[in-house]
Every structure is written in structure tokens, then in C-alpha cells.
Amino acid sequence: MDEVIISRAIIESYFKNLIDSLDVDVAIAGAGPSGLTAAYYLAREGIKTVIFEKQLRVGGGMPGGGMMFNNIVIQEDAKEILDEFKVRAKKYKDGLYIANALETVSALCLKAMKAGANIFNLISVEDVMIRESAQDEEIITGLVINWSAVSWSKLHVDPLTVRSKVIIDATGHDGEVCRIVEKKLGPKLRTPRGDIMGEKSMWSEKGERELLDNTKEVFPGLIVTGMAANAVFGSPRMGAIFGGMLLSGKRAAEIAIEKLNVVKVLK
Ligand code: 48H
């Protein structure tokens, strides 16, 4: 057992994967529940999909459940997504199910990767790549990425770039990709004011209801999903009910597929 061969195996295979992910169909920022769900439904259709996750671990806010009690609540509408991921869920009351947060995150991650999505942890999205279309419309054509350790250590290190036909912002409460677009290009988001409207206080029913409408192309080439969608469009937070995140991730995948002109209906 040669330590150098172990090192070579890791480095060679990692960089082969990374190089393979420099030009993709869909690049997703954030491996929380919405990003992982989107990645699964895209990869399942043979669409080349990559996720860049800032943190060491995947799952975003899901492993924490509610106030660190690591169970999550899922409503009836999203139960079929749990079934698709083979997550065990117990009926709690009419229309509400309870599932283990860690089991759910593990299933989302495993199924997304087995479907063919690449996930890179410890890589942050710090900017986007912009081009002009034939109609002089600004369009996002890629993500600018860097090791998370660079920003955490406040180092001045230039980033690298990934080209993608469609980008999905699944960065949660902060809506980081949309925030970057707003900062660099001005108030040009497809919100009523053009800027980020800001997340509103807790109202589970309204937050979940508005989430699917908020999941949309918010700038040419950029789809927003999950908590980021509610933050961008000024809808409420909803606490530890996660059905909307799964449904929103699936919806983001459907929109991306429409944009990629692959005419397929997701089951
Ligand atoms: C790469 C990044 C970057 C970046 C952040 O927060 P998440 O879990 O997001 P969602 O929308 O899938 O799920 C939201 C849910 O977890 C939640 O917070 C709920 C339901 N809250 C309700 C309430 O009332 O509070 O995951 C986002 C992921 C995280 O893993 C981040 O580390 C990652 O995105 N991320 N990755 N580049 N610039 N910014």
C-alpha cells in the first residue's frame, strides 16, 4: 500500500471530475434540499449537472431540523418526492408527515449522485459570468468559483470559471447568486422592483404556498429555487417544514429542462 499512489488516485480522479464539470448543462450553487432535489431530477434525465457547495457538508439547513431537533415535517403535496427518494415518512396528522432530517439529506445526496450529478463541496460561488445575446440581452453563462478556504482566510486568490447553459441559485436565505447579480448589474432581477425584495417573517402556510410561484427564471439564464426564491421575491419564511424546498427543487429542474429544450415531463 503506497501512500503516494493513494495521493495520486485522489488527485487524478478529483481533477478529472472537476475538468469534466467546467462545461455543463446546469450548474447549481448550493447543496441544500432544493439544490439536491433539482440536481437529482436533472441528472435523472441525462442532463449534465454539477453542484458547488460552500460548506464541508451537504444538506444546508435540513440536518438541523427545527431548532436542532433533527426531524422535518413534509406536507402531503411533497410526499411523492420523499417516496421517489425512498425516504421513510410517518403520517403525523392529516396531510402532514414526519421524516428524519439526516435520512432525508443522505437520500437526496445519494440519489442525486447516483443519477449522475457531480457535487463539489468546499467550493464557493463568488461571481457569475455574463455575455450578451444576439438581442443585446445580458445573460448569465457561468459561475465563478473559488475554494471556500480562500474567502474564509481572507486571501487574495483569483477564481476559476465554469460555463453552464443554465444556472440555479439554491443558496438558501441569502440568495447569494441573485445578490451578486443585483450588486454587479443593478436592479435588473425579474422582481416587481428589480432588486431582492427580502425574506419576510414566519408564516408557514403563505411561505410554502408562494414558494412554487417564486421558483422561476429571475434573470436570463438564472433560476432561483428554495429559500432563496422566497427571499428574492419577498415571501415569508416557513420554519422546519421542508416540502416546499423539495417541490421547488423539482420545479427548478422542470424550468431548466424547458430552457434546455428537452421536452420531457417529469413524473
Ligand atoms: C456555494 C453556497 C453559497 C455559495 C450558500 O440553506 P439551504 O438549506 O437552502 P434551501 O433553499 O435548499 O433550503 C432551505 C432550508 O434549509 C431552510 O433554511 C428553511 C426551510 N428555512 C425556513 C426558516 O424559516 O428558516 O442550503 C443552501 C446551501 C447551503 O449548504 C450553503 O452552504 C450553500 O447553499 N451556499 N454554496 N456557493 N456562494 N452560499
Side-chain angles (χ1 to χ4, degrees), residues 29-35 52-55 57-62 123-126 170-173 176 199 202 225-228 237-242 245:
S34 64
F52 296 101
E53 166 53 51
K54 184 197 276 196
Q55 297 294 337
R57 53 145 184 81
V58 299
M62 192 178 257
I123 294 186
S124 296
V125 174
E126 65 166 52
T171 59
H173 293 268
E176 289 200 19
E199 177 189 301
M202 181 85 83
T225 184
M227 207 54 229
R237 67 190 305 180
M238 66 294 288
I241 180 155
F242 279 81
M245 299 303 137

Side-chain angles (χ1 to χ4, degrees), residues 20 26 40 42 60 70 82 97 134 165 168 190 213 249-250 262:
D20 189 49
V26 182
Y40 165 71
L42 289 162
N70 66 2
L82 283 187
Y97 293 83
K165 297 187 182 102
I168 298 180
R190 291 173 180 164
D213 273 351
K250 184 176 179 186
V262 185

Side-chain angles (χ1 to χ4, degrees), residues 105-117:
V105 168
S106 307
L108 295 180
C109 183
L110 184 68
K111 290 269 281 185
M113 296 197 83
K114 285 205 164 172

